[in-house]
Amino acid sequence: MKKQHFLKFKSSRLLFFLLVLSLNAFGLADQNTLRLFVIGNSFSQNATTFLPQMAKEKGKTLVIGRAELGGHSLEQHWSYVEKYEKDSTDAKGKPYGGKSLKMLLSTGTWDVVTIQQYSYLSGDSSSYNPYAQKLVNYIRKLQPKAEIVIHQTWAYRADAKKFGRIDHEQLAQNQQEMWQKSRVAYHHLAKQFNARILPVGDAFEMVATNKKYGYKKDTNFDFEHPVEPNLPNQNNSINVGYFWNKQELGFDPNHANDAGKYLGGLIWYSLLFNESPKKINFKPTTVTDDFARFLKLVAAKTTKK
């Protein structure tokens, strides 16, 4: 009888141990797996360019779904939803490679869904609603367990010819004003939905205003009479800036270059996987070791705040 009792006790302990072990393993797998759905435009594409490499390096399983169209605002994304809900056969309601937002969002279960505003409108709080509220309601209906996260976009480079809108037809006067106004607008949005923020815009501003690493316009370059393939000094720029295109000097002060994409990826990785960006070893070959170290420090400071 004692032997039977001992065997039952031993069996119970073994079952308990296996249960705890399986729960821990499930929790670990859960932490290392993320299904991420991104609603945005070229800025969200920029910020997530290197995210898969970072996740892979750290042994994470990352699945990314995308509903991204260049230069698109919250209002435009919502307009496609309305067209699809009115007539599911209308091609105008299926702009994402022939699919609607509903079709894409309904594919499996998503852990996180991100939204953002078009950068040009990011500093104008009046441009966000009612479209953001309608989109979030729609997302929550289709994916009730998903966390809504706000992607804070960045201000244009200091030498941009014009900056984003901050109030109806009024434009920001400079990079700092565009960042300040957009930051306020994004924080209002996050408060509205009690949502976390991916503070890429703050990180860009921290780099841009750094005395040592901040980009400074090349005053020695002849912009009036440029000669191919010569380019101005753009050291430490995190935006595309000047480039040659068909014998013409092009200029893109808005989109992120590899360094900016790397910084955006560090922010997204750190907050979505709850890990320090300092632990990331991956970096694009176009980014120097010194600048990469600085960008990781900026990402760490920004996400810590």
Side-chain angles (χ1 to χ4, degrees):
M1 191 75 181
K2 286 184 179 180
K3 189 175 181 181
Q4 274 188 325
H5 179 74
F6 174 75
L7 287 173
K8 285 183 179 179
F9 175 73
K10 194 172 182 180
S11 176
S12 298
R13 287 191 66 183
L14 180 61
L15 286 171
F16 177 75
F17 174 75
L18 290 173
L19 178 62
V20 170
L21 190 65
S22 63
L23 287 172
N24 285 339
F26 175 78
L28 186 61
D30 194 48
Q31 289 175 4
N32 290 331
T33 302
L34 181 71
R35 286 180 54 84
L36 168 68
F37 193 91
V38 182
I39 302 174
N41 50 40
S42 56
F43 272 40
S44 57
Q45 290 173 338
N46 283 178
T48 58
T49 296
F50 298 122
L51 185 59
Q53 288 94 318
M54 295 174 185
K56 184 178 179 181
E57 176 196 309
K58 295 301 179 183
K60 311 295 185 184
T61 299
L62 175 66
V63 178
I64 304 181
R66 297 182 183 275
E68 298 165 310
L69 294 168
H72 271 57
S73 65
L74 292 164
E75 180 180 6
Q76 287 172 299
H77 282 294
W78 177 249
S79 72
Y80 300 134
V81 172
E82 289 185 318
K83 287 181 175 66
Y84 180 79
E85 291 297 331
K86 184 177 181 181
D87 179 5
S88 62
T89 65
D90 186 355
K92 292 180 181 178
K94 296 182 280 189
Y96 312 106
K99 295 186 177 182
S100 68
L101 183 59
K102 186 175 187 177
M103 293 164 71
L104 293 173
L105 270 175
S106 300
T107 305
T109 301
W110 300 99
D111 302 309
V112 171
V113 179
T114 67
I115 62 170
Q116 65 175 71
Q117 181 56 297
Y118 170 39
S119 62
Y120 183 74
L121 300 175
S122 62
D124 183 359
S125 289
S126 67
S127 71
Y128 286 71
N129 282 301
Y131 319 108
Q133 183 66 66
K134 290 181 177 181
L135 267 175
V136 167
N137 291 345
Y138 195 69
I139 295 164
R140 286 175 173 165
K141 181 180 178 181
L142 296 173
Q143 292 288 336
K145 294 183 179 180
E147 178 190 5
I148 307 293
V149 178
I150 310 298
H151 174 213
Q152 179 203 1
T153 56
W154 53 90
Y156 304 154
R157 202 168 78 174
D159 55 348
K161 302 297 187 289
K162 70 175 184 178
F163 298 90
R165 200 176 87 186
I166 56 175
D167 183 20
H168 300 291
E169 298 306 315
Q170 184 183 350
L171 302 183
Q173 295 299 302
N174 49 47
Q175 179 186 45
Q176 188 175 35
E177 185 176 24
M178 182 178 174
W179 165 68
Q180 289 173 336
K181 295 291 185 179
S182 63
R183 188 179 195 277
V184 168
Y186 274 117
H187 276 263
H188 281 165
L189 190 69
K191 186 176 181 180
Q192 178 181 343
F193 302 121
N194 191 28
R196 291 192 295 162
I197 290 179
L198 295 159
V200 181
D202 287 353
F204 266 61
E205 188 66 18
M206 192 179 293
V207 174
T209 55
N210 184 272
K211 290 182 179 180
K212 179 180 178 181
Y213 290 98
Y215 164 78
K216 297 174 182 62
K217 187 174 182 178
D218 186 351
T219 56
N220 296 318
F221 187 80
D222 188 354
F223 289 95
E224 296 298 322
H225 307 94
V227 178
E228 190 180 10
N230 297 328
L231 286 169
N233 184 339
Q234 300 184 99
N235 285 347
N236 299 335
S237 174
I238 48 179
N239 302 88
V240 174
Y242 291 96
F243 59 95
W244 283 100
N245 180 33
K246 297 179 181 178
Q247 298 183 314
E248 289 189 4
L249 186 64
F251 183 48
D252 179 359
N254 305 349
H255 292 92
N257 60 13
D258 280 358
K261 292 173 183 178
Y262 182 59
L263 178 59
L266 291 169
I267 297 289
W268 281 58
Y269 177 85
S270 178
L271 285 176
L272 294 178
F273 287 105
N274 193 29
E275 288 189 6
S276 171
K278 293 180 182 179
K279 296 180 180 180
I280 298 293
N281 294 315
F282 164 83
K283 77 170 185 64
T285 56
T286 51
V287 180
T288 65
D289 291 344
D290 180 56
F291 198 37
R293 279 192 294 271
F294 171 67
L295 294 178
K296 285 194 279 188
L297 284 173
V298 168
K301 288 181 181 178
T302 308
T303 52
K304 189 176 181 180
K305 287 181 181 180

